[in-house]
Amino acid sequence: MAKRKLVMIGNGMAGVRVIEEILKLNHDLYEITIFGNEPHPNYNRIQLSNVLQGNTTFEETIINDLSWYASNLIQLFTGETVTGIDTNKKLVISDKGREVAYDELILATGSLPFILPVPGADKEGVIGFRDIKDCEDMIQTAKQYKKAVVIGGGLLGLEAAKGLIHLGMKVDVVHLMEHLMERQLDAVASSMLKRELEEQGMNFLMEKATVELTGTDRVEGIRFKDGTETKADLVVMAAGIKPNVSLAKESGIYVNRGIVVNDFMETNIPHVYAVGECAEHREIVYGLVAPLYEQGKVLAQVLCNQKDKGYEGSITGTQLKVSGVDLFSAGEIYDDNTSKAIVVHNEYEGIYKKVLVRDDRIVGIVLYGDTKDSNRLFKMLNEKQDVSDFTSISFLQSQESSNTNDVASMPNDEVVCGCNGISKETIVNAIQEEGVTTVEQVGGCTNAGRSCGRCKPVIQDIIAYTLGDEFAQTAEKKTVCGCTTLSRDEVVEEIREKGLTTIKEVMNVLHWENEEGCSKCRPALNYFLGMIYPDYADERDSRLVNEKMHANIQKDGTYSVIPRMYGGVTTAKDLRKLADIAEKYDVQLLKITGGQRIGLYGLEKEKLPAVWEDLGMPSGYAYGKTLRTVKTCVGAQFCRFGTQDSMSLGIELEKRFERLDTPHKVKMGVSACPRNCAEAGIKDVGIVGLDGGWEIYVAGNGGTDLRAGDLLCKVKTEEEVYEITGAYLQYYRETALYLERTSTWVERVGLDHVKEVLANEKTRNELNERLNQTLARYEEPWQKAVEEEQIRNAYYSKRELLKL
Ligand SMILES: Cc1cc2nc3c(=O)[nH]c(=O)nc-3n(C[C@H](O)[C@H](O)[C@H](O)COP(=O)(O)OP(=O)(O)OC[C@H]3O[C@@H](n4cnc5c(N)ncnc54)[C@H](O)[C@@H]3O)c2cc1C
Ligand SMILES: NC(=O)c1ccc[n+]([C@@H]2O[C@H](COP(=O)([O-])OP(=O)(O)OC[C@H]3O[C@@H](n4cnc5c(N)ncnc54)[C@H](O)[C@@H]3O)[C@@H](O)[C@H]2O)c1
Ligand code: SF4
Ligand code: FES
């Protein structure tokens, strides 16, 4: 039976969770297309605050990478905005003119920051805080400017302010009201918070209404209603959000504040649903992930014909992600004449706890300084438990005890991960029945910990408590992925010892939890097998998407073609050919890359084999975990400072080691003198010419984790360079974790250790022998695609559009 067509607009947290739930319920029901106007796969927006505060990286915020979409046959259009919906013809239209028909349509367009409508709000340097782009803007601005002003003393504003302080800026927080976070905290908790944040370096301008942003092109200051002013090089608007509903509205879908949905997330138009921050349910628009995920679960059931009781609304609990601040708030915050407050205020220790009770039920919680009881109290609030038997002590005094004792006394049904609604019992079951032993694996099985991450310490305690002695042995272990409890070294050892030769066999024999593996372990296993057996028959479908396609997928779904240009040296004939091909195939962009070659960007998948055939040049592997480029300077052939022939050495290095699978990408550079024009000092392997010899540097990195290379050794001849480089690469191949760059690998194993290994001639020879055996197995992949129809049909035909 033909699959039904499911289209989703919005590639954010709530929407993609719906897709994950659908895939769990019925993997094959839908042909899924997702439009996301950000140029990224689905990432954890919540963690942007932690990126700013330096606690995590952008890479770590990715929830589902491109290979997840590919392996689930999801067509993803990133950087593309849906601009119209024809609900009669049942199709959506994008800003690139793409029309996609749907049987079912999900609107998951999220929110937009509320930008104050004051003069000057459109000046350069005025931003919201919503996405990676905003985050990057703040990081860049902090490198150049000193003074930031955040407008809004709510959750978002305070997290942004903390991040900007971390980035080295002076920060004013402008707040309209008398108290910070007035929607979540009462006056006492709010003033305790203010004091703490002032100590952390924030300056508060309270009860200030902004009337104008001053400056010429770029913002220079803020003027307030009371006539006062403050200077600003950067203004971050964090004064709330508004549901992103214009597309729905223009398409005739009923919108109030958000897109109005019933308990099954259905809009007023048949087959059109809304979920997440853009949806309004029973007159409430939610702005935290916990309720959005509940909505997502319900919508997945509806779309998989498993309609249950529907979504009935949520009570939300909030915490602030600022280190040194421990607070929790849920429900009402002030008592009135129908409710009573139970309050503990220990000023000495900076602890404040308030529980509001009406008709023997908890209706509100405010905790500051000690939030240990938040889960327990929040559960009582949510379940409307009768609390008439509780004393104020049993309400509010958490027992001083060790963490594992806390876990022991925790009821089984206590919710541990509020974002995902996961109880202790579910986590314990995953540990006992699925054999998981790390927080990451628990997340893989249950989703716990995959959003704001604040429950991770408790999950860790539950793992320790459940595993007992076993825990100590597994605690230090970094497993290959959530499908196994084995580490990289254990997997490699088992493959060698048991003579396992295919990915399937490894998974079966080593009792993989998920028998199909996942997007993390399949490429890793493929790599390990290829590293162990020189004649290994590569499993192309297990590779990361770009390697599988032998081309780099771009944000609009097109691909790039970057042929080899050994050592960055080309010819007039090749340049002419590239120019002709660029015109013939109408490439969107022709660009000199950072690795000294020329890239053709914006080619549709179906065109790739023809382009490669016309080019007749080898692949530059610009997409691979392999040797990318060897950058060279002109050296002794032309430069008056050159002491060595850097171009010849670079070209030979590239020819010798091209196509070699490595744990991560490898870049090299060769300069002919210490002026180092080829930037060899920030390469995985950098060679610098001296009078009568060469210096070999290793473990440099010019990317996000900038690192200068370490001097490995000095040699006299080119032959020695090849020998040392070969042995070094093979040792890296054999001992690094999959996806570990040489820079982190060397730091982990130690430069002295690597030097010691390579100093031994016998070891060097053995390493080079194994390397050469492996190198012998490689074929030119583009040529193969040109020659073999089966490959073209499998990977580059239109029919296979969804398989990426
Ligand atoms: C810095 C920050 C910190 C946060 N911290 C927390 C926290 O600690 N706890 C918590 O629970 N929540 C937190 N939140 C809120 C949480 O991130 C959101 O509730 C959640 O991301 C909303 O999910 P969503 O899918 O509805 O919207 P989004 O994640 O915003 O996704 C919507 C996506 O749709 C795209 N889109 C919109 N229109 C179109 C179109 N026409 N065509 C194509 N694509 C379109 C948007 O670009 C966006 O990528 C935080 C938010 C921010 C910004
Ligand atoms: N830790 C978390 O859970 C977390 C973190 C960040 C963001 N978020 C979510 O992101 C969304 C946006 O957060 P937010 O803090 O912008 O929204 P918010 O509505 O919670 O807070 C906005 C704050 O700005 C203040 N404000 C409004 N107008 C102002 C003005 N003109 N001048 C100065 N202050 C003004 C308000 O008084 C309010 O305190 C919310 O849904 C929030 O729940 C959550
Ligand atoms: S590194 Fe030295 S030899 Fe090479 S181009 Fe620069 S100055 Fe000339
Ligand atoms: S509480 Fe947010 S991820 Fe668990």
Side-chain angles (χ1 to χ4, degrees), residues 46 289 319 416-421 447-456 459:
I46 295 178
V289 290
Q319 284 182 300
V416 172
C417 174
C419 291
N420 294 283
N447 275 329
R450 285 180 71 211
S451 307
C452 71
R454 69 182 154 245
C455 56
K456 283 183 176 178
I459 300 174

Side-chain angles (χ1 to χ4, degrees), residues 49 114 116 130 151-157 159 174-177 179-184 208-210 238-241 277 286-288 318-321 454:
S49 305
F114 172 63
L116 297 185
R130 183 71 195 172
I151 300 184
L155 290 158
L156 189 66
E159 291 182 11
V174 173
H175 194 55
L176 192 61
M177 313 300 281
H179 304 294
L180 295 176
M181 282 179 61
E182 76 285 352
R183 289 165 58 185
Q184 291 90 6
K208 295 273 182 192
T210 302
I241 50 176
E277 285 190 351
Y286 294 92
L288 294 167
T318 32
Q319 284 182 300
L320 184 70
K321 299 191 296 298
R454 69 182 154 245

